[in-house]
Amino acid sequence: MPPSDVPRWARTTAHITAGITVPSGLWRVALVAGVPKVVPTIDASPGERTYILGLSVMGEGLALATLGLVRPWGEMVPRWVPGLGGRPIPVMVPVMIAGAGSVATTAVCGYAAYQWAVRPPLGNRLQNTVVTVCYAPLLAWGPLLGAVTVSYYRRRTRRCSGA
């Protein structure tokens, strides 16, 4: 159950953000699996394939962490954590981490979009359309994370100040 003072828009935005990496992750899985016609064929070693799949897992894990900004586990360490369980999380810890993540994600995804626009196509028209559709949502990741982070900060500092 989310804290009762989380704005509905922030809860919705956090859930959208948590799922925003799914299309690009599925594209990378298809790339490693060699799905014919949809993704280009790659000649990658097992280590490179593991790295590509690891990007999908890491990206989704980071995106899912956005939910902590609208859920109780983003405000208080879960009770099952030895030695720290039940303690409040200082407001600025998630704010600094999520804020840095928002800026970094916006920069990296913006740069990647620029590179995609100026570089030659990856494969055939279908392959380029599929990769564009799968990666385009990542452009919203940083700004959406930033909005949820600001909401978290305002909510937690308002609550702490007694206002």
Side-chain angles (χ1 to χ4, degrees):
M1 175 78 112
S4 60
D5 57 347
V6 175
R8 183 178 182 164
W9 72 264
R11 220 177 3 259
T12 301
T13 303
H15 283 85
I16 290 168
T17 305
I20 219 158
T21 60
V22 171
S24 60
L26 292 175
W27 183 86
R28 284 189 293 275
V29 169
L31 180 69
V32 168
V35 176
K37 296 184 180 160
V38 178
V39 295
T41 305
I42 61 167
D43 182 26
S45 70
E48 290 168 322
R49 290 174 186 272
T50 301
Y51 169 75
I52 292 168
L53 292 175
L55 285 176
S56 296
V57 172
M58 183 184 71
E60 191 56 38
L62 290 171
L64 283 169
T66 305
L67 295 176
L69 299 172
V70 297
R71 304 294 296 174
W73 51 268
E75 297 181 13
M76 187 169 296
V77 179
R79 296 219 178 268
W80 55 264
V81 177
L84 296 175
R87 291 187 183 178
I89 296 172
V91 174
M92 292 310 292
V93 171
V95 169
M96 295 302 288
I97 293 169
S102 173
V103 169
T105 302
T106 301
V108 168
C109 293
Y111 180 74
Y114 166 76
Q115 287 296 314
W116 180 247
V118 299
R119 289 194 173 231
L122 190 62
N124 63 39
R125 180 173 280 167
L126 173 63
Q127 292 168 341
N128 281 302
T129 300
V130 170
V131 74
T132 300
V133 167
C134 289
Y135 275 82
L138 293 180
L139 290 170
W141 186 4
L144 292 177
L145 174 57
V148 176
T149 303
V150 168
S151 174
Y152 175 90
Y153 174 78
R154 287 181 177 164
R155 184 171 51 82
R156 294 283 313 276
T157 55
R158 182 179 64 238
R159 189 186 308 155
C160 292
S161 68

